[in-house]
Amino acid sequence: MDKSQPDNPDTSNPAAAQVTVHIDGEPVKLRQGDNLLEAMLSEKYNLPYFCWHPAMGSIGACRQCAVTQFADQEQQKGKTIMACMTPVSDGMYIGLNHQPAAEFREQVIAAMMTNHPHDCPVCGEGGACHLQDMTVMTGHSMRRYQGQKRTFSNQYLGPLINHEMNRCITCYRCERFYKDYAGGNDFSACGSKNQVYFGRQQDGILESEFSGNLVEVCPTGVFTDKPFSAHYTRKWDLQSAPSVCQGCAVGCNISVGERYGSVRRVVNRYHHDINGYFICDKGRFGFSYVNNDSRIETARGIELSSEFKPHQLAIALARYKSADNFGIGSERASFESNAALKHMVGSENFCSGLTDYQHFCLDIIRSVMSAKQPPSVNEIEQSDCIIVIDEDLTQSAARIALAVRQATRNAAFDKAEQLGIPRWQDAAVRTAGQACRSNLFLLQSKSSKLDDVATYAEPLHPAAIIKLLQGLGNANQPDSISDMPFDNGLASLLQEIKTALQHAKRPLFIAGCSAWQLETLQAVEQLALQAPPHWQFAFLPDAVNTMGLASLIDQHTMSLEQLIAKSLQQSTVIVLEHSLSTLTRAQQYQLAEQSQTLIVIDHNQSLLSELADVVLPSAPFTESDGSSVNYMGLVQPFFAVKPPNSPIHPAWHWCLLLDSTFGRQNLANITTLSQLRAYLAEHDSSFPDMSRLLAEQLLFKSARQPMRYSGRTAMFANQTVHEPKSPQDTESPFSFSMEGAGRTDVQGQALPKAFSWAPGWNSEQSVYKYQTRIGGRMNHRAEAITVARGADKNLAWQQRKSDTANPGVLSFNGLLIRRLSHLFANDALTDDIAEFKLLAPVACLLVNPADEANLAATSATHVTLISDDKTSMTVRLITCDDVARGTAYLHHPLLNLHNAIAQVSDIVQASSDDIARQQQGQSEQLQSILNQKSRALSRLQKRDQQIPIQIVGEGR
Amino acid sequence: MSLATNLPRVGEGNINLVQLSYRDYLSVEEINAIEHEVAILGQRQAAGIEAMKLVQKNRGWISDDCLYAVADLLQMPASQLEGIATFYNLIYRQPVGRYVIHLCDSISCHLTGFAQVSEAIKEYLGIDYGETTSDGMFTLLTNACLGSCDKAPAMMIGEDHFEHLTPQSATDILRQLCAENDKDELNLRE
Amino acid sequence: MTTDKPLTQHINQDKPLAMPEYIDVGGYRSVDKILQQMSAQDVQDVVKDSGLKGRGGAGFPTAMKWSFVPKFEDTDPRSGDDKYLICNADEMEPGTFKDRWLLEGVPHQLIEAMIIASYAIGANKAFIFLRGEYHLAAKRLQQALDEAYQQGYLGDNIRNSGYQLDLYLHTSAGRYICGEETALINALEGQRANPRAKPPFPQVSGLFGKPTIVNNVETLCNLPHIINHGADWFKQLSNNDDAGTKIYSVSGRVQRPGLWELPMGITVRELLYQRAGGLSPGLNLKGFLPGGASTDFLTVEHLDLVLGYDEVSAAGSRLGTGGIIVLDDQNCPVAMVLNLLKFFAQESCGFCTPCRDGTAWAVDALTRIEQGQGSQQDLDNLHKLCDFMWLGKTHCALAPGAVEPLQSALKYFHDDFEQHIDKGCCPYSGHH
Ligand SMILES: Cc1cc2nc3c(=O)[nH]c(=O)nc-3n(C[C@H](O)[C@H](O)[C@H](O)COP(=O)(O)O)c2cc1C
Ligand code: SF4
Ligand code: FES
């Protein structure tokens, strides 16, 4: 069990009693008050269902989960009931295999099949289809209906989701997820009778950041993964590995699927405490940079054969040897890679890759984490009063936003409970609850997608937010807060929040780092350190492994500024999977020119990699094992879905290989990841012993390929008739093959699942077979390991703090100009994903109408931002009053690549030339995205025919 | 809907966000009538059906623009209103003729000569169910039981109910409507 | 002055009584009586004693339904919460037109009745949910409502009693399922009219999640008379154990189709032959639906059946709405069932699988049989579908309602189905 987290068996009925129910004559203990379907599935019965969903409860629409309820043991005849709509009560007699109920279940499928097309062979869901599974389970095999099928036309729903309405079985899950659960408002059920249509009001991009979940929520092939469909493989032909989403600091668990050397898709991998059943679209579709032609596949700057030996590398690099070696770590590189780099160059020469300012902020976060254990996503969902501080969660940590949305329903659950309505009665709870919501205060400077469920969501100036936080911390002077300019009614808001906090049982503050605003974080820290014990605090750093990196920072660790300030003429600088986008272009050039040698280890090209003397190709998360540390400090391992293609190596491996040339030779004898981990655990106090998570399980290999992985012997037949040997994976508990019984014993089961499957359950729904109960933890889950908590204040940083300003924020004429946070345009890697570039906003500046006058560009459509160094940037001007007065938000794709505009000296109405150029640029950009998309696809398809044998040979 | 959370996207292509303000589209009378309904029900979105009926009364049918305008006024997503509009029989989401004929096809009418009346009307108008005559005068629809079972067959045109239909009387009624319409037009022209 | 036709004695189809005339004939007396002399509980008690059962189709005891509305202690924060009364005037069941008669003929009676019911359950807001096609009823009701407001029978402080009631007319946008009480509530909330799951029952969580009572027009219209004349009087109106009168109707090819208010518990024969004059010349009785489209067929052998809730159930059908639909021997029973099933398939809300796909499947099979292209397989499918869509297996009672005429037709008119299949054509064609 997870010791670091109190085991609060959470969501429903914690105190529910176990009662005895007789199922087909066998007594079984079930939880009283659960719905019978959920309770029976928890006991691993095979009972088909469609409309019920573990996270969304029951509505009783599909009538698939019918069983017989008998009045007593003797009674032969009983009545047919819907398990999902029936609460478990003591002494029930239930017939699961009772003939009439079984026949009825078959009839339900037969009825659905009156309209469902016979297109399984061309359907993207085939082989992973809940409807197929249930059809087999109910034994429906003979078609009795002789009439015609209804036909629908489909909609264009954007670049991520396909729509094929003819396959719909009208279970209403899509609508319930999209609209009721995720709060989307561009989707609904239309029509009626056997013509119910699920879609948008008209064709167009689905607006929700969670639209990808439709793919899994839909039990058939109406909504399918569009990029996956474009380069498709059956689920049974996918080689899969358990992984962790690299999109943000939440660390949602995912399963990655690969075929013929390219990664095809990502699906949710259930994790009780974190993502549950859902991930955001960034997580599902944000991997495709690993397939791109921007991938670095060979070494540059040195002569190196792909099958090089370590000493050959040393020889090739010999000429770059220099007096000093510095390493720059990164928030997106794995915990192991960062630690390896640090140990290679030594603490004194390790730079975090973060700015001073980021260091200060992280230090605060760590200090709060040591005082207050951050809540899991699941715990966030249980909160009854949430205060979000200056962070657009939907754009920076979307999964958390989804949890916050659910948390606002807690008041409605309570109200329903008073009326005797169980929380799984989804529609009834919504009816009884009406607009009744738990408190959610959004202290933000710009509207966000949670506004519709918020108690308060008016845009506030960041300074006002700080004032409020200070007011909250100040119990002695309850109402003493002077109104800020621009922000009226602050005092009454403060009072409202205070009252809400007094009544709340599980209040929660969530702050984030997308603005890296030190004063705000300081104010939260103040509050946290004197808060009552039941107040919870969650901070969301901005990248997948920020907390892992942060825990490696010690008093010697340098910031980027400190490193740059050094004279590097005699130095080799090794940059680990980092594009240094917080630097300006000029600074990047300067770094490259100044340092004697610049070595970049990365998997995708960046400006920095172009400037580097040596580029070493690293393996992205899909091709390497490693771990990352999420916002809670939870260490989560991820596993390669395919071996890297030599000379690509995991970044940590490059660090080992470089040690002899640029390091301190401490890592000399280490060649494998488990050796590295063992070394680090022994030599670095911040690196945990992960053997609990991993090493024990090495004995039990588990297959990455499902049992039906087909055509393996034919895969390379166009190149060789000899079936190449499967690559060996000596590192992880997984094999690159169908071999590996795994799973049967306790430890095998404790392994994360490479893919979801259980006998009779080919769809993602099979996860229930591996849960302690529906919606509970996974069986025999390995113990959780957390780091980054309990750290003392890092005094070295405290001293440097005084005079630094936040380099990420611009100001002009009293206007605070912040970077716009956007899920699909938050980091450099999103720039390699065509679909995301289509979904990203156009380059723009958002200002409040009242501030427009300040810009000397009244009623302009476009403005140009000019800086002292004469760089300029033309963007669309959008005035809207859902941005706080005194703040503005800037978006430009370049900002993800480097600090494209370091300060603003003027903002003027854009000249018609500038506008023309900007628009020209934009349409060229669009064209190039589309080209990129089709080029990438055809390249991958071509590669399917000519897979480099080395992929499957000895890969590492 | 807030602008800052719904920014134009790079790849929006030619599918545009609908930005229609109810003020530009609905008449003051319509707005007042809808607001009255809102006041009765106490919830804005609850008035959706009634609002569409009101607007349809003036405009014949619910065009996309009507839908957006009503959704805007009631502060609800257009897709949700679409879901409602397409559920109910008496809301037309396609253009209809000046007179919409609702011919009862339920059981008592069926037993007492619906088929012949139906044939006669179809032949007279030259259209089938769901269609509108080319001159835009008539749309022919069926209707569930009109509650005239003792005076079957029956039909409803606009707010008028006609009972005890025969093929002859039914076509006569339509003929008369045409004549009245012509007269109206004449009057208008004069 | 008492009457044996309390519901319809003041009906005037051409020009209903205006408020003063209605008051002159004793109207609204019951309102004064309850406001001055009776507590809400008193009203509930009288209605309970009267034995009034719902006339909307299910025959559920009215007072018992009311008693499920939670009675909060004054200290309970929910005691001040809204409660609602809704009159179900969505009459759309084929072959049923009784409510229309009451609505158009004597609208004030319904308003009077709704004041009583609202008072009894403690509601301050009430709605008449009227089907959209009843334009004349809408006009007359609205006028009556305006009058009642003017005369102080609606609004704040009714008749200086301190009781306040707002009563609104809401017209539907057309959908049979809106007659189902929880679907009706969804429709009133401006949503898609899918029925809600029960429990929770609307008496606990109904309109906008608040306690809500839905009663049929005819049910409600009995209330003023029960208040005025007492429970015993009401009970003795009937011929059987069901109290009161019933508005029966007959449609189909009979001599005098129409409506009659008669004592509960008359026989089919009396209704069909004495009132409706028997079948039209040259036709013989083949069968009939006793209470609207969603009841089981009965046949000639049931002519002496007593039309009461229990009696009709015992004969294998339901009293339903009391609207008899007559099938003569020249109309094809298969075509009749097809027509009924088309209605149900058309009006299915599309929420649950058995109804959504089952009714459409039945239509498909019936169409084939009726057109002479059917097979034994179609017939088997129909039998299976009857079981598939039966009570408890669907989300609401619409589909089981569709099953009733289908299953009974398969039973009583089995030969007709077989003939269609054997002959490859409809043996009645040319006649229907
Ligand atoms: C499909 C369906 C349609 C219904 N239609 C009506 C109707 O039009 N009018 C009506 O009063 N009750 C109708 N009912 C019954 C109502 O649900 C409800 O039982 C009734 O209004 C209760 O009133 P009562 O207790 O006064 O009979 C219908 C039920 C179903 C299942
Ligand atoms: S039985 Fe099911 S589909 Fe039919 S009307 Fe009722 S809920 Fe809707
Ligand atoms: S799962 Fe129970 S009715 Fe759909």
Side-chain angles (χ1 to χ4, degrees), chain C residues 90-320:
Chain C
D90 192 53
E91 186 170 72
M92 207 163 158
E93 172 103 352
T96 303
F97 42 107
K98 64 183 180 76
D99 294 342
R100 182 180 181 184
W101 199 29
L102 291 170
L103 295 164
E104 290 178 357
V106 49
H108 275 294
Q109 179 171 267
L110 178 64
I111 296 170
E112 181 181 0
M114 288 184 73
I115 300 170
I116 298 168
S118 301
Y119 180 78
I121 62 166
N124 299 113
K125 208 168 186 178
F127 295 92
I128 302 170
F129 189 94
L130 179 69
R131 76 173 289 199
E133 289 91 338
Y134 283 1
H135 295 107
L136 183 60
K139 216 158 34 195
R140 289 179 175 177
L141 276 170
Q142 190 55 55
Q143 186 166 355
L145 283 170
D146 292 345
E147 289 173 345
Y149 267 105
Q150 273 161 21
Q151 302 289 319
Y153 277 94
L154 287 175
D156 296 339
N157 193 14
I158 295 175
R159 307 289 284 166
N160 289 322
S161 64
Y163 178 61
Q164 175 240 324
L165 177 67
D166 281 307
L167 176 52
Y168 301 105
L169 175 67
H170 179 95
T171 59
S172 172
R175 210 58 217 227
Y176 171 59
I177 193 62
C178 294
E180 199 283 337
E181 58 183 359
T182 56
L184 181 152
I185 290 170
N186 273 337
L188 199 51
E189 285 185 16
Q191 307 189 44
R192 292 162 60 82
N194 294 328
R196 294 175 178 177
K198 295 187 259 192
F201 290 91
Q203 294 91 305
V204 176
S205 175
L207 184 65
F208 300 121
K210 299 288 162 55
T212 304
I213 288 290
V214 181
N215 275 138
N216 170 258
V217 175
E218 187 186 348
T219 315
L220 289 167
C221 285
N222 282 301
L223 295 175
H225 312 291
I226 295 175
I227 295 294
N228 286 338
H229 306 303
D232 292 335
W233 164 84
F234 189 70
K235 273 192 257 185
Q236 59 80 32
L237 283 175
S238 73
N239 290 349
N240 68 346
D241 284 349
D242 299 320
T245 60
K246 175 83 194 80
I247 300 182
Y248 294 101
S249 67
V250 180
S251 64
R253 290 202 278 191
V254 291
Q255 301 262 20
R256 289 190 301 277
L259 293 144
W260 301 270
E261 183 184 6
L262 298 168
M264 254 299 177
I266 56 152
T267 65
V268 179
R269 190 181 300 279
E270 182 183 347
L271 185 60
L272 224 53
Y273 289 91
Q274 264 158 278
R275 306 290 164 170
L279 274 85
S280 301
L283 301 177
N284 295 305
L285 181 66
K286 175 135 182 143
F288 61 94
L289 302 173
S294 57
T295 56
D296 287 83
F297 275 101
L298 296 174
T299 65
V300 188
E301 67 202 66
H302 297 108
L303 278 177
D304 292 312
L305 180 66
V306 168
L307 287 168
Y309 289 105
D310 295 341
E311 294 86 342
V312 184
S313 293
S317 185
R318 286 190 307 119
L319 179 59

